[in-house]
Amino acid sequence: MRLEEALHLYRDGKLGETEMLEFLRAYPTLELGDVRLDRHRALRKGFPEVVFGQGKTLDQLRRILTATGEETSTLLITRLAESTFVDLEKEFPRLRYHEAARCAYLSDIPEIVPLPPSPGQPFLLALGAGTTDAPVVEEAALTARLMGCVVEVLHDLGVAGLHRLLEKTERLQAAAVVVVAAGMDAALPGVVTGLVKAPVIAVPTSVGYGASFQGLAALLSMLNSCAPGLTVVNIDNGFGAGYAAAQILWMNRPKTPPTA
């Protein structure tokens, strides 16, 4: 039973005080054997707990999805293999898969698709230096869209062809927040930060040759940037960047974020 449902039942006299107190006593955490779901996350943060799918067993994911279906209409599972999704989809037909982002999700939104912002509407611009950075960019974009944000995505704007980026200057400067994913020398976020007044969240990716050290070189490059206003998340952490960007956008709009 969801919290809003319990409150409505109590208000209407269909749930007694003792039952309501018992429900609230057990509500913060949902115990599922070796899995403990944070049922207060949406109340505290505005968005339900997100599940890191990589490394979880099918049984663990089944239990999470079964419980979540009773608790909330929204769920994001990041880093989920498509083969695992195929197995889960048989039991949970509402579950959808975003191949580019490598994520599965539940949502009341009919389709998580790019929508152009209305004039004056704050939006997130998510961009990648190369096409191999696309999974990280798409993970950030999907996260923010599920959190109710309008997102534009641009790919393959690395500084090796700087004119490609400069052609998008108008869109860059119109964005309320920008997420930039880059591997290799990771120069793109610093350049973007110098072009816009919006906050920029940089995501180093594990793309590159041997000396990239699986993204460590990109991470250090971003951390050492002299461009003011640049914030850096962990290697390949598109989810973290998209989440932070959505929180910034929530501060720019009157709409109340999703609740439990």
Side-chain angles (χ1 to χ4, degrees):
M1 180 166 56
R2 297 171 63 179
L3 180 58
E4 291 93 336
E5 182 183 355
L7 289 172
H8 291 160
L9 290 172
Y10 178 71
R11 180 196 62 191
D12 298 338
K14 298 177 181 178
L15 191 67
E17 182 176 331
T18 301
E19 291 82 5
M20 186 64 185
L21 287 172
E22 187 62 31
F23 172 79
L24 291 174
R25 189 176 294 113
Y27 184 78
T29 303
L30 182 61
E31 302 263 359
L32 302 172
D34 57 344
V35 176
R36 294 164 57 88
L37 292 182
D38 182 357
R39 303 164 89 182
H40 266 183
R41 187 71 59 89
L43 292 173
R44 295 196 316 272
K45 302 285 288 180
F47 192 74
E49 182 174 14
V50 174
V51 178
F52 184 70
Q54 184 177 323
K56 285 188 172 57
T57 66
L58 267 175
D59 177 64
Q60 288 170 330
L61 291 168
R62 287 189 184 106
R63 280 182 278 145
I64 291 170
L65 280 162
T66 299
T68 300
E70 300 174 356
E71 297 289 321
T72 178
S73 59
T74 303
L75 175 69
L76 174 61
I77 306 176
T78 64
R79 301 300 174 86
L80 189 73
E82 187 169 6
S83 57
T84 304
F85 164 75
V86 170
D87 288 332
L88 292 171
E89 186 186 24
K90 298 171 186 175
E91 299 178 50
F92 305 95
R94 282 188 59 231
L95 192 66
R96 283 171 278 176
Y97 191 73
H98 193 300
E99 182 178 0
R102 303 169 298 185
C103 297
Y105 62 94
L106 297 171
S107 175
D108 284 338
I109 304 172
E111 291 293 336
I112 302 296
V113 295
L115 294 173
S118 304
Q121 182 180 22
F123 70 95
L124 161 65
L125 182 62
L127 58 95
T131 53
T132 46
D133 299 309
V136 175
V137 176
E138 294 292 346
E139 183 178 77
L142 176 64
T143 300
R145 286 182 181 127
L146 284 171
M147 294 175 74
C149 301
V150 174
V151 184
E152 286 191 18
V153 176
L154 297 173
H155 292 295
D156 203 16
L157 296 179
V159 297
L162 191 58
H163 56 284
R164 297 176 300 188
L165 176 67
L166 297 179
E167 289 170 352
K168 303 297 183 181
T169 299
E170 182 179 350
R171 297 313 298 152
L172 284 167
Q173 294 179 344
V177 58
V178 183
V179 169
V180 185
M184 298 287 192
D185 57 359
L188 183 61
V191 174
V192 170
T193 304
L195 294 174
V196 304
K197 64 180 179 180
V200 177
I201 303 171
V203 192
T205 67
S206 52
V207 173
Y209 296 103
S212 69
F213 299 106
Q214 293 78 50
L216 180 60
L219 172 63
L220 293 176
S221 178
M222 292 177 180
L223 289 173
N224 282 290
S225 173
C226 64
L230 181 65
T231 299
V232 185
V233 299
N234 206 353
I235 298 168
D236 291 335
N237 189 11
F239 159 70
Y243 198 108
Q247 290 181 308
I248 292 171
L249 284 172
W250 281 351
M251 297 176 67
N252 281 277
R253 66 178 187 179
K255 182 179 178 182
T256 303
T259 58

